[in-house]
Amino acid sequence: ALRGGATLDRGAMARLREQAATWRQRLGHPRPDPRTADEAGALLADAFPDRVARRRDAAGRFVLQSGRGATLPEHDPLAQSSWLVAIALDDAGRDARITLAAPLDDAAVEAILAAEATTTDEVTWDAAQRAVVARRVTRLGAIEVRSHALASPDPALVRDALLEAVRAEGLDLLPWSDTARGLRARLAFVHHHDAAWPDVADAALLASLDDWLGPHLAGVRRVADLSRVDLGGALLAILPWERRNALDRLAPERLQVPSGARIAIDYGDPEAPVLAVRLQEVFGLAATPRVMDGRVPVVMHLLSPAYRPVQVTRDLASFWKAGYFDVRKDLRGRYPKHRWPDDPLEAEPGMRRPR
């Protein structure tokens, strides 16, 4: 009843029949049971459950319960079988070659599935779709038997799938706004100068995703939905209330200059925060502004009226005493309609802008 790639030894088969007849006689069953090949497959599946295999995408291509591939020649009578038991395998190649097998009929398969298959809800990140995919899947070992989409998967499983996607693809998967990036840079600056503050480097944020990002992922299932997540708010939530006010004191987002304008500070380099401002707006400012409770001077990028850099300094007082006059000569030639006073500390700041 068995078929496959093996060649039967007729002499051996004759000896087996004689032995079977002897045992039937001893056991009181003189006539053999008329078992079919499919019934033989069911019996063999009980003996070799790990050898149950399902046909894949083409004739002769199967997958075993273990997940390994196995093949039969396309011309083999069993190559078109939906299910079979691969009794003997040649493990020489990437996919094992089936040398002896028996088919399984629908009834045998359903009996096996009823006894051994498992059904689980699988919620995973699909990188191609850029979305969480939710399915209810029935499996027999590594063999996927059937599945269907889940319209309303467990929100906790969806959140976990999203967090795994961020861990796998990195924080750039998240839609960082300029505001959120600026806040993260401020937090990194303060941590750089005081390790008691939370670390917001990539490794630290990835390690603590559950804590700071997880609570903000309700209703999110695809990359496009992430635009609804307030990443700045998520980062601020890391801080106790008292430290939120301290952050504004230690690393203010903006500094007011004599013109009245509030200029954003760039904290991209925690060793050297940058204040880029037009030179005329800081007439009257005697010393370099400082942050981190006065411990860290900002690097001043002094700009022309056209926002082109004309000087970089950490020591504004020294610039007024010496460097300013060289810069003034150049600026008076390029911008003759602007004021370039002899005493910038006493001059009225220009270029006033709305707040």
Side-chain angles (χ1 to χ4, degrees):
L2 301 181
R3 293 172 290 177
T7 301
L8 294 180
D9 183 331
R10 295 184 180 279
M13 289 298 297
R15 289 192 294 274
L16 285 173
R17 290 191 186 96
E18 291 176 2
Q19 292 179 13
T22 299
W23 281 105
R24 285 197 301 271
Q25 189 67 36
R26 291 181 181 179
L27 295 172
H29 296 282
R31 299 185 63 184
D33 285 339
R35 299 287 184 180
T36 67
D38 289 339
E39 288 175 315
L43 293 174
L44 288 165
D46 287 338
F48 303 97
D50 60 316
R51 301 296 181 88
V52 172
R54 186 182 191 183
R55 184 161 55 85
R56 292 191 287 187
D57 53 353
R61 291 174 52 81
F62 295 85
V63 60
L64 300 165
Q65 278 207 59
S66 65
R68 186 171 186 193
T71 62
L72 277 172
E74 291 185 14
H75 57 77
D76 189 283
L78 292 181
Q80 297 288 349
S81 298
S82 296
W83 292 82
L84 53 74
V85 186
I87 304 160
L89 298 167
D90 177 353
D91 290 336
R94 188 184 70 173
D95 286 348
R97 186 169 63 90
I98 301 171
T99 58
L100 197 62
L104 290 168
D105 63 12
D106 291 344
V109 170
E110 288 305 318
I112 293 169
L113 296 180
E116 300 182 31
T118 58
T119 299
T120 57
D121 290 348
E122 295 184 358
V123 182
T124 57
W125 175 256
D126 187 313
Q129 297 186 45
R130 311 300 284 164
V132 171
V133 175
R135 301 186 304 155
R136 181 159 291 165
V137 184
T138 299
R139 294 183 185 278
L140 180 66
I143 301 173
E144 183 175 315
V145 179
R146 62 180 72 96
S147 70
H148 66 268
L150 288 177
S152 300
D154 183 340
L157 295 179
V158 174
R159 180 201 63 216
D160 291 346
L162 283 166
L163 294 176
E164 282 303 312
V166 176
R167 291 188 185 99
E169 299 195 24
L171 293 173
D172 285 344
L173 181 66
L174 302 175
W176 294 94
S177 65
D178 290 344
T179 299
R181 290 184 188 279
L183 174 62
R184 186 180 174 193
R186 292 166 63 204
L187 289 168
F189 166 78
V190 177
H191 172 76
H192 180 78
H193 294 277
D194 183 350
W197 282 70
D199 186 0
V200 291
D202 283 8
L205 290 182
L206 288 171
S208 59
L209 279 178
D210 285 37
D211 298 327
W212 70 273
L213 183 61
H216 300 269
L217 294 179
V220 175
R221 286 194 60 173
R222 58 185 62 250
V223 166
D225 298 336
L226 286 169
S227 62
R228 302 199 302 263
V229 178
D230 179 7
L231 294 176
L235 288 178
L236 271 182
I238 298 173
L239 301 178
W241 280 104
E242 64 274 11
R243 283 201 166 176
R244 297 189 190 185
N245 290 332
L247 176 65
D248 290 335
R249 186 187 77 250
L250 297 172
E253 182 180 0
R254 294 174 178 270
L255 283 179
Q256 184 166 331
V257 296
S259 69
R262 292 176 57 80
I263 309 296
I265 303 174
D266 181 353
Y267 289 94
D269 180 353
E271 284 289 344
V274 171
L275 182 71
V277 58
R278 288 181 291 186
L279 174 59
Q280 291 163 300
E281 294 196 64
V282 292
F283 287 165
L285 182 63
T288 303
R290 291 173 170 266
V291 291
M292 204 64 196
D293 278 344
R295 284 182 278 163
V296 181
V298 301
V299 177
M300 300 195 71
H301 287 205
L302 300 174
L303 311 176
S304 73
Y307 291 95
R308 294 185 176 90
V310 297
Q311 186 72 27
V312 175
T313 182
R314 286 177 181 261
D315 188 348
L316 188 61
S318 294
F319 169 74
W320 292 137
K321 291 178 182 178
Y324 168 72
F325 298 101
D326 291 330
V327 169
R328 184 181 69 155
K329 290 179 184 178
D330 178 61
L331 293 176
R332 286 174 71 176
R334 286 192 286 155
Y335 304 98
K337 295 183 179 181
H338 290 261
R339 292 185 305 110
W340 305 107
D342 292 333
D343 187 350
L345 291 176
E346 295 297 328
E348 180 74 17
M351 316 297 290
R352 183 180 293 274
R353 297 179 290 186
R355 297 188 178 209

